[in-house]
Amino acid sequence: MLITEHELLKDEIREWCVRYGADRGALLPILQEVQHKYGHISEFAMQQIADALEIHPVEVDGVVSFYQFLHTRTHGRFVIRLCRTVSCDMAGKDRVARQLENELGISFGATTPDGRFTLEWASCLGLCDQGPALLVNETVYREVTPEKVHEIVSACRRSLSAHAPEFSQEAAS
Amino acid sequence: MSVSIRTPLTFRDVPPGVGLEAALALKRPAVIATLRAADLRGRGGAGFPTATKWNLAAAAQSKTKYVVCNADEGEPGTFKDRVILNHFPDLVLDGMLIGGYAIGARKGLIYLRGEYTYLRAPLEGILARRRQERRLGRAILGKKGFDFDIEIRMGAGAYVCGEETALIESLEGQRGEPRNRPPFPVDTGFQDQPTIVNNVETLAWVACIFAKGADWFRALGTAKSRGLKIFSVTGDCERPGIYEYPMGLTVGELMQRVGGEGAKAVQIGGAAGRCVPAALFDRTIAFEDIPTGGSIIVFGPQRDMLQVAKNFMEFFVEESCGQCTPCRAGTRKLLGGLELLENGRCSIEYLSELCRLGESISLASKCGLGQSSPKAFLSIIRHFRDELLGRPAPATS
Amino acid sequence: MSVAPADDAPRAPLSQRVQSVRPQQVPGTLGATVTVTVDGQNLPVPLGTTILEAARQLGIRIPTLCYHEDLCVAGVCRICVVEVEGQATLQAACAYPITAPLVIQPHSRKVRRARRHILDLMLAEHYGDCYACFRNGNCELQSLAKEYGVDEFRFGHVTAPRYPVDRSSYAVVRDMNKCILCRRCVRTCIDLQEVGVLEAVGRGDRTRIATFLDKPLGEVVCINCGQCINRCPTGALRANDPTDEVWNAIDHPTRHVVIQTAPSPRAAIGECFGCEPGTALTFQLNTALRQCGFDRVFDTNFTADLTIIEEGTELLLRLRQALQDKQPVALPLFTSCSPGWVKYLEHFYPEMIPHLSSAKSPQQMFGAVIKTYYARMHDLDPAQIVTVALMPCSAKKFECNRPEMCSSGYKDIDYGLTTRELAQMIQEAGIHLPDLTPSDFDDPFGTATGSGVIFGATGGVMEAAIRSVIELVCGVRIESIFEHADVLPVRGFEGVKYAELDLPAIGPVPPLLAGLFTDWSWLAGARLKVGVCHGTANAHKVLEDIKAGGPFSQCHFIEFMACPGGCLGGGGQPIPTSPAIRAARARAIYAEDTAYEVRKSHENPAIARLYGEFFKDGPGSPLCHELLHTHYTPRGKYIV
Ligand SMILES: Cc1cc2nc3c(=O)[nH]c(=O)nc-3n(C[C@H](O)[C@H](O)[C@H](O)COP(=O)(O)O)c2cc1C
Ligand code: SF4
Ligand code: SF4
Ligand code: SF4
Ligand code: SF4
Ligand code: FES
């Protein structure tokens, strides 16, 4: 990674510290910003954040590893989270899961080699009356059937080609 | 956003602001007195009397206090808070303002679960609108000295952060690990300041109580569980969705209304709740009998209760904060027992030991998560023992 | 002299702080008491006392694991649960502050069963190979299993290690297969030491204690203090143990094996043999070491005295530069004898390295002197000399492996042994230490002074330095200022101490320093300002104060010790540790000081002889610099 990208990230962290305050209470919002922008929270980012908030890097690691939506490793452009809790389970999440794996060619917990999709389980998404439910990044899909899985994945692919510049996987790694 | 709202909702009849204006017209102690008269108990699950909580926070000596709206709705099978925040956000915000006024807080925080990030932008819009309407900010509704603003903070995917002290830890930038209690948030809460944490629905009812009067609320429900409750119904029934009923309705009545008459069991209170078999459908849904934060999951006759129990247990193994031994290691052992049952390889002796372990987990865990984690396991083992024991080995696929 | 109050607010995660009741919450109840009934016995206690504290006052035992007297409360292991009448669930005694009258059943059926279940769960996850574990016989988990009659693994038992053992550090070995997640190490490292190497990561049943992104301990900012080892209830953390190599050296036909013993281990090693804390076995130990086969047994105090001379000289030189030459110079001078502290500074305040005294620690000075002066004196080949150091410290293992510590042309010190490891060797040799007849140290480095002894306690270096500097500069006897030469203002266990002392007079320059100074006139009327702190969390406070221009920035000399209590609380000392145990060890050390005839470093005749025969150009000379001084590495805290 280029030095300039490190500098950029440092500047951004400085800005976020201004916005959220440079104390421990700002940790989660700042991590969420980094996660949102870069798709993961790199080792470098964690150390910079720790420095800015005057805590220890391992404490940042402890927090990042605690929350399901924060990651230290690169995640796909689209993170697909399928609810596996009981209502969605009863509504047929297993078949949706299998179809997702088939469409993407990866199993749960993995990211496609092109870095576009990550497939994950989620605990209850609060859409239990309309299961099976899944989230693609922040967008909700309800009453998903194996048939619909293909549409969802295709829509993601289409939106990628519509929006040029490709998301930089290397950023902040 | 499509939701199946299956009954008329009181929240529709209460225009935003009415409750707030009524409350601000009262003196602070009178606000809490009204709540006490209404006898509102928390809708987040634990059913703690809201007036008592607020009174403790009001009595705490501190210049800085906080009102926290618990919008971390993570209990499997619940989505009522999402619906309320989506359709009636002003009632919830009114409730927070009333709380701030009652305890003397100037700042409110909404802890919104990460899974509901899509609700954030609309809520921010509403907050902005309210600042313009002087329903947020300085001198609210022209009332001098009452300043209050609200900030939205996002969760990041952790069920345990719905537990109020874990929520506060999370707000403070920590791992969402529940604290030792006492002391309670009402005297040592967010940033060590007195803090009230209330469920989304509780806050909406607060606004309704001030709009419609404490007597209206008090007249509904049972003597120990007053008022109305929103239920999130899912599973094997004809009409899943959102329902509003007075507290104290029987499980059987509810099943009739949702089209779940044939059910063999209902899980009341989500993963943390208990499993009620058809034989006990005359029991009532109320704090004094079967409490719930609103999650009702119906199991039809064809359901394998072992899979249900396993799904719940997997949930706890994943969502335990991992801090204390009984919950961290114990839920794993209970899950192991269910796996043995699944393979038809669990002795009754070991099963009994696991049930005793379940009791110890309930007794010795640090927070509500661990304390309630064995409940589903224990109730399913008790009521569906026949279904569970001596299964043939599963066919290997 | 004045003493600044210590500020002891812990920087723990909020959930893990002891949260006592703030008095204003219950108006009029400040200082009020409340009655608690434990197992039928009544006891009035101050509001906010925990159930555990109350039970202990009544002599009722409640088992604990995550609780540690030195640390903030966690309440995570749950082994201490008790029944509180009127409450549906059991409560953790260690974390429950009493604010109303309570009736407590500490051993009811429910409680016993829950505790046993908790133990069963811990054991199910614990890779317990007790006979191959250094905590065998001294393990809190093991003794609880005995106490609760564990006779089978009811919920299974891991039979193979699940995690690799991290041996990357010279000082600390981490074996997470034995970790029960009590988090004492986390609280030690973050709160007590402010280093922040260890933290719980992951959640649910994947929760583990880890370093930043699981990097090897040897590559993160660990300062090797070993405080986490001393507080771990199990064998999950241990020191890197070189006893096999030491035995090999002893058994080797041509090796000349020399051991030096530091004062703190001598005041504590008895604990490994069942003695009460505070039993000094200095001279019995000499006998034991000879029986074990060490060729010579020397006293580290000798080089402690040497350190005082070298470091004191450095202080005077810097003071002259500041006061007489009006030149910019790094003051206050920081002591450098605690290798944990040195590494802390290198990581977290590399810009302050110039403040650090260049004098080596007594351990390293000893090695350099043995492999040069002593080798020549006895016509030994330094390559055949093996230097072993008995230290209370795990950081010393790292220190002796620093690449710059080879000024004699050989590794100054070959092996650092902790108190625990040496006790093990002695046991292995079939010796019951307390029964031995005392014997003396070997010459020529057996002569030491009381000043060297007190290096073991916090404030000791400062006291020794004050004794010598005052006498050398003022020409008066220290006893004329401090009765019995006890410099009380720098003693004691407050985290941070500050003291001022007016120089009473100016004397002639003593011969020892005549090569460097002509007179002390520039010191006339000076007021010496000194600071003392122990535990790196306190060091952090002092350094921040200096950066902010606070009172400590005006100091001339500050003693820093990485470990709480100083060396007597070192990471290599017998386990367990507690404030009471450390206080007992301190008493033993000060008693030993009092027993010495010579109590001031500069009056040590052997030191005079060393300067006379070997370091002929006196303290601070080029040869001294070559052998007795060192340099440091700015490390920074960025973890690669
Ligand atoms: C594991 C756990 C999860 C919880 N999750 C929620 C939640 O998602 N929403 C909620 O309002 N309360 C939740 N609670 C209850 C809260 O701790 C707290 O009691 C509640 O927010 C208080 O609000 P109320 O009095 O208005 O019900 C949870 C409790 C536990 C133990
Ligand atoms: S009971 Fe479970 S969730 Fe609660 S503190 Fe203990 S481990 Fe964490
Ligand atoms: S840590 Fe304790 S219980 Fe575990 S193997 Fe070592 S001595 Fe045995
Ligand atoms: S040796 Fe000291 S610095 Fe290293 S992990 Fe242990 S307590 Fe932390
Ligand atoms: S390493 Fe030791 S002190 Fe640290 S959590 Fe594990 S058992 Fe406790
Ligand atoms: S000793 Fe009290 S919970 Fe661990």
Side-chain angles (χ1 to χ4, degrees):
Chain A
M1 178 175 171
L2 294 168
I3 298 296
T4 50
E5 286 179 37
H6 275 172
E7 291 305 323
L8 180 71
L9 183 64
K10 277 195 202 171
D11 285 345
E12 284 169 338
I13 289 170
R14 230 168 278 140
E15 261 169 51
W16 289 323
C17 282
V18 172
R19 188 178 322 160
Y20 299 111
D23 59 27
R24 176 118 197 197
L27 180 57
L28 224 47
I30 293 177
L31 290 173
Q32 284 161 339
E33 295 278 4
V34 177
Q35 172 71 42
H36 185 77
K37 172 133 197 234
Y38 294 100
H40 76 298
I41 300 157
S42 66
E43 191 178 326
F44 179 79
M46 285 197 259
Q47 298 208 42
Q48 289 303 319
I49 294 169
D51 221 17
L53 303 183
E54 294 186 359
I55 56 178
H56 307 289
V58 74
E59 294 180 277
V60 180
D61 186 11
V63 168
V64 171
S65 62
F66 187 88
Y67 294 97
Q68 226 157 19
F69 288 11
L70 304 176
H71 311 280
T72 52
R73 267 177 296 148
T74 342
H75 261 54
R77 178 76 177 83
F78 297 100
V79 181
I80 302 181
R81 297 194 167 91
L82 176 65
C83 174
R84 66 167 156 198
T85 310
V86 71
S87 303
C88 286
D89 182 51
M90 296 199 295
K93 70 118 190 1
D94 280 342
R95 292 182 54 207
V96 174
R98 237 174 145 78
Q99 200 56 36
L100 275 167
E101 291 181 337
N102 295 342
E103 292 294 317
L104 298 172
I106 51 171
S107 46
F108 276 77
T111 299
T112 53
D114 62 4
R116 291 191 171 178
F117 293 94
T118 298
L119 197 50
E120 279 182 356
W121 290 116
S123 290
C124 187
L125 293 175
L127 297 158
C128 326
D129 57 333
Q130 298 156 334
L134 59 80
L135 278 178
V136 179
N137 296 343
E138 286 157 18
T139 314
V140 167
Y141 291 86
R142 335 141 179 262
E143 292 174 358
V144 181
T145 57
E147 191 69 40
K148 274 200 203 162
V149 164
H150 178 70
E151 286 168 34
I152 293 170
V153 172
S154 314
C156 294
R157 290 215 164 97
R158 273 198 306 280
S159 79
L160 258 194
S161 50
H163 301 298
E166 179 89 16
F167 181 73
S168 155
Q169 286 301 324
E170 287 74 37
S173 61
Chain B
M1 198 172 289
S2 67
V3 221
S4 332
I5 298 179
R6 306 281 183 176
T7 59
L9 297 183
T10 307
F11 297 152
R12 276 203 206 292
D13 307 338
V14 178
V18 178
L20 177 61
E21 279 163 37
L24 293 196
L26 298 173
K27 290 220 174 339
R28 287 163 198 260
V31 173
I32 293 177
T34 307
L35 270 189
R36 180 163 297 124
D39 203 2
L40 170 65
R41 293 174 67 172
R43 269 23 182 179
F48 193 79
T50 307
T52 309
K53 188 186 285 186
W54 289 18
N55 196 32
L56 286 167
Q61 307 272 309
S62 175
K63 282 208 190 75
T64 320
K65 299 182 186 178
Y66 296 97
V67 176
V68 175
C69 170
N70 187 342
D72 194 53
E73 181 164 61
E75 194 60 60
T78 359
F79 46 95
K80 49 142 189 128
D81 292 347
R82 168 177 58 85
V83 173
I84 296 171
L85 284 172
N86 203 25
H87 293 263
F88 316 105
D90 276 303
L91 289 184
V92 180
L93 302 178
D94 283 351
M96 290 179 75
L97 283 159
I98 296 171
Y101 177 65
I103 69 164
R106 298 158 58 92
K107 174 138 179 135
L109 295 143
I110 299 176
Y111 188 87
L112 185 63
R113 66 189 304 226
E115 290 84 344
Y116 290 173
T117 304
Y118 51 85
L119 289 178
R120 180 175 190 162
L123 281 172
E124 295 279 11
I126 291 160
L127 292 179
R129 189 201 77 216
R130 286 180 69 111
R131 282 184 198 111
Q132 294 200 328
E133 296 170 352
R134 305 198 70 186
R135 286 167 197 278
L136 215 52
R138 319 210 96 224
I140 285 159
L141 293 176
K143 191 158 181 98
K144 275 214 197 79
F146 180 44
D147 308 337
F148 195 85
D149 213 328
I150 294 176
E151 188 188 325
I152 300 177
R153 298 285 288 268
M154 299 305 298
Y159 163 71
V160 67
C161 287
E163 200 279 340
E164 55 188 11
T165 59
L167 187 155
I168 290 169
E169 285 284 299
S170 178
L171 285 176
E172 290 178 355
Q174 307 280 354
R175 295 161 58 81
E177 293 175 347
R179 297 178 177 176
N180 294 307
R181 293 142 50 105
F184 296 93
V186 286
D187 70 47
T188 310
F190 182 52
Q191 289 174 350
D192 281 357
Q193 302 303 323
T195 304
I196 51 172
V197 181
N198 278 108
N199 173 250
V200 168
E201 185 190 342
T202 311
L203 293 166
W205 286 123
V206 166
C208 295
I209 286 167
F210 285 92
K212 295 175 75 95
D215 294 340
W216 157 78
F217 193 82
R218 192 184 174 77
L220 298 160
T222 71
K224 288 204 168 135
S225 312
R226 309 272 185 189
L228 298 161
K229 174 87 192 87
I230 308 288
F231 298 100
S232 320
V233 181
T234 61
D236 302 321
C237 61
E238 281 162 34
R239 295 177 292 280
I242 289 287
Y243 292 80
E244 176 189 293
Y245 289 117
M247 298 287 267
L249 135 129
T250 68
V251 183
E253 280 163 1
L254 185 63
M255 284 306 102
Q256 272 175 9
R257 300 191 189 171
V258 305
E261 292 93 337
K264 77 167 170 188
V266 181
Q267 179 78 13
I268 298 181
R274 61 178 120 156
C275 188
V276 180
L280 300 177
F281 278 5
D282 56 343
R283 297 281 293 272
T284 59
I285 304 176
F287 296 118
E288 63 272 26
D289 193 357
I290 306 174
T292 175
S295 166
I296 308 284
I297 305 171
V298 186
F299 303 117
Q302 79 288 3
R303 284 294 159 197
D304 181 352
M305 295 314 286
L306 180 58
Q307 292 309 320
V308 170
K310 213 177 129 198
N311 190 295
F312 285 139
M313 228 50 239
E314 282 167 351
F315 175 81
F316 285 119
V317 168
E318 172 69 31
E319 296 294 338
S320 153
C321 83
Q323 180 182 190
C324 70
T325 318
C327 170
R328 177 189 65 240
T331 49
R332 170 53 80 189
K333 291 297 162 202
L334 297 188
L335 180 60
L338 291 169
E339 282 160 359
L340 286 178
L341 283 170
E342 192 177 19
N343 295 321
R345 286 277 174 243
C346 188
S347 72
I348 288 185
E349 192 186 335
Y350 189 59
L351 192 62
S352 312
E353 191 57 53
L354 284 178
C355 289
R356 284 195 291 273
L357 174 67
E359 283 158 24
S360 290
I361 297 173
S362 279
L363 284 171
S365 289
K366 183 166 179 174
C367 85
L369 188 150
Q371 287 159 12
S372 56
S373 63
K375 274 197 218 157
F377 174 94
L378 291 173
S379 52
I380 289 176
I381 303 259
R382 170 156 1 109
H383 299 302
F384 298 95
R385 221 177 153 82
D386 290 350
E387 212 183 278
L388 306 181
L389 288 169
R391 295 197 172 199
T396 42
S397 54
Chain C
M1 282 214 175
S2 63
V3 177
D7 164 22
D8 285 325
R11 228 209 62 195
L14 268 174
S15 62
Q16 303 190 340
R17 281 183 211 160
V18 197
Q19 293 155 322
S20 53
V21 187
R22 278 173 297 169
Q24 76 269 25
Q25 280 154 12
V26 198
T29 53
L30 181 57
T33 60
V34 60
T35 298
V36 54
T37 311
V38 188
D39 221 359
Q41 298 182 58
N42 291 330
L43 180 74
V45 292
L47 232 62
T49 307
T50 63
I51 294 176
L52 180 68
E53 288 160 356
R56 286 191 174 174
Q57 281 179 41
L58 285 168
I60 294 169
R61 177 177 154 78
I62 294 177
T64 53
L65 270 173
C66 66
Y67 172 84
H68 194 283
E69 270 183 89
D70 290 331
L71 306 173
C72 59
V73 164
V76 296
C77 75
R78 314 303 290 176
I79 200 76
C80 68
V81 286
V82 294
E83 207 173 329
V84 177
E85 229 164 71
Q87 303 221 5
T89 57
L90 304 177
Q91 303 296 333
C94 70
Y96 197 101
I98 303 168
T99 56
L102 292 183
V103 180
I104 286 149
Q105 302 291 341
H107 302 295
S108 67
R109 183 175 170 76
K110 273 189 206 166
V111 169
R112 288 194 320 268
R113 186 187 269 176
R115 284 189 192 147
R116 175 71 197 272
H117 273 136
I118 290 167
L119 265 176
D120 284 335
L121 289 173
M122 282 176 181
L123 294 174
E125 312 238 295
H126 178 86
Y127 177 55
D129 55 347
C130 294
Y131 32 78
C133 180
F134 109 96
R135 292 297 291 274
N136 192 356
N138 179 25
C139 167
E140 294 180 43
L141 182 62
Q142 196 187 44
S143 51
L144 274 181
K146 179 160 184 280
E147 190 174 327
Y148 280 81
V150 173
D151 49 3
E152 60 168 333
F153 297 119
R154 278 197 294 202
F155 302 112
H157 185 55
V158 285
T159 49
R162 293 178 292 176
Y163 306 104
V165 178
D166 179 357
R167 300 174 192 275
S168 61
S169 157
Y170 283 117
V172 182
V173 179
R174 291 176 69 234
D175 180 358
M176 288 302 105
N177 297 298
K178 291 181 183 162
C179 174
I180 54 164
L181 292 167
C182 70
R183 304 197 187 186
R184 284 188 191 171
C185 56
V186 172
R187 285 171 282 151
T188 303
C189 198
I190 294 185
D191 301 335
L192 201 63
Q193 296 296 72
E194 277 273 5
V195 179
V197 165
L198 302 172
E199 170 64 302
V201 304
R203 76 160 189 234
D205 71 338
R206 287 170 327 223
T207 310
R208 298 169 296 122
I209 306 298
T211 54
F212 181 58
L213 296 173
D214 274 322
K215 296 189 185 277
L217 195 64
E219 290 171 23
V220 295
V221 295
C222 171
I223 64 166
N224 304 308
C225 66
Q227 290 302 307
C228 51
I229 301 177
N230 286 18
R231 287 170 185 78
C232 179
T234 71
L237 298 171
R238 62 177 196 266
N240 206 339
D241 181 348
T243 44
D244 286 346
E245 286 95 321
V246 174
W247 278 126
N248 287 345
I250 288 175
D251 296 340
H252 194 283
T254 60
R255 297 275 191 270
H256 182 75
V257 187
V258 169
I259 187 166
Q260 51 165 316
T261 70
S264 293
R266 306 186 310 226
I269 197 164
E271 294 164 34
C272 298
F273 294 88
C275 302
E276 281 300 308
T279 313
L281 295 175
T282 311
F283 298 100
Q284 287 86 341
L285 188 61
N286 290 343
T287 313
L289 291 169
R290 290 193 184 92
Q291 288 185 6
C292 283
F294 287 98
D295 296 304
R296 289 287 182 282
V297 183
F298 293 138
D299 189 346
T300 307
N301 291 345
F302 170 74
T303 37
D305 287 337
L306 191 58
T307 302
I308 285 298
I309 302 298
E310 287 296 324
E311 209 164 270
T313 306
E314 190 180 358
L315 174 66
L316 289 167
L317 286 169
R318 289 198 194 195
L319 286 176
R320 180 171 70 184
Q321 210 174 330
L323 298 177
Q324 186 181 38
D325 309 344
K326 310 286 181 206
Q327 295 281 321
V329 60
L331 277 176
L333 179 69
F334 297 164
T335 60
S336 60
C337 38
S338 165
W341 144 247
V342 167
K343 192 157 183 264
Y344 179 83
L345 192 80
E346 288 175 332
H347 278 305
F348 296 97
Y349 297 88
E351 72 283 2
M352 290 204 194
I353 284 179
H355 289 266
L356 212 47
S357 162
S358 63
K360 284 182 183 171
S361 68
Q363 160 176 300
Q364 294 304 125
M365 283 195 183
F366 220 117
V369 169
I370 292 283
K371 292 199 178 173
T372 54
Y373 173 65
Y374 171 82
R376 204 178 305 164
M377 181 193 253
H378 292 269
D379 201 15
L380 290 164
D381 174 6
Q384 292 297 328
I385 301 179
V386 176
T387 46
V388 180
L390 169 62
M391 291 289 148
C393 184
S394 50
K396 293 278 176 194
K397 294 172 187 287
F398 172 82
E399 185 185 31
C400 73
N401 281 302
R402 290 176 77 117
E404 61 272 23
M405 293 296 182
C406 293
S407 49
S408 56
Y410 303 89
K411 225 175 140 208
D412 289 345
I413 291 293
D414 293 293
Y415 304 109
L417 283 178
T418 63
T419 314
R420 299 185 295 261
E421 287 153 3
L422 188 73
Q424 186 59 54
M425 289 179 72
I426 292 173
Q427 272 159 7
E428 197 176 342
I431 299 166
H432 188 63
L433 182 63
D435 296 348
L436 294 187
T437 327
S439 65
D440 228 324
F441 288 101
D442 289 313
D443 277 335
F445 309 124
T447 322
T449 68
S451 276
V453 178
I454 56 175
F455 263 54
T458 167
V461 178
M462 188 54 70
E463 178 163 354
I466 288 176
R467 286 179 189 171
S468 286
V469 168
I470 293 288
E471 297 211 343
L472 292 174
V473 169
C474 305
V476 298
R477 286 179 53 76
I478 189 77
E479 288 83 349
S480 67
I481 306 173
F482 297 103
E483 219 176 311
H484 306 300
D486 292 345
V487 187
L488 295 178
V490 297
R491 290 191 185 179
F493 283 117
E494 293 115 294
V496 177
K497 288 170 292 216
Y498 172 90
E500 296 181 358
L501 173 64
D502 287 321
L503 296 187
I506 296 295
V509 174
L512 185 67
L513 297 174
L516 292 168
F517 301 95
T518 47
D519 64 79
W520 300 128
S521 59
W522 46 278
L523 270 174
R527 167 176 284 197
L528 193 62
K529 296 175 185 164
V530 300
V532 172
C533 68
H534 57 116
T536 38
N538 291 315
H540 173 84
K541 284 180 204 156
V542 170
L543 294 170
E544 287 299 320
D545 180 84
I546 292 174
K547 276 169 78 175
F552 286 96
S553 66
Q554 300 304 312
C555 277
H556 301 113
F557 192 30
I558 305 182
E559 175 197 311
F560 290 92
M561 291 287 159
C563 294
C567 304
L568 56 85
Q573 291 282 65
I575 301 171
T577 184
S578 72
I581 291 175
R582 293 193 295 275
R585 292 175 190 161
R587 279 194 297 278
I589 282 177
Y590 285 114
E592 198 167 324
D593 167 36
T594 317
Y596 270 95
E597 227 163 277
V598 184
R599 294 179 59 208
K600 299 154 206 169
S601 302
H602 59 283
E603 290 181 352
N604 184 341
I607 292 282
R609 191 171 150 213
L610 181 68
Y611 279 111
E613 290 180 1
F614 191 65
F615 297 112
K616 290 188 182 122
D617 295 334
S621 64
L623 185 60
C624 289
H625 267 277
E626 190 188 325
L627 293 178
L628 306 181
H629 290 253
T630 184
H631 56 91
Y632 305 101
T633 315
R635 294 172 198 270
K637 61 184 172 180
Y638 191 81
I639 304 164
V640 197

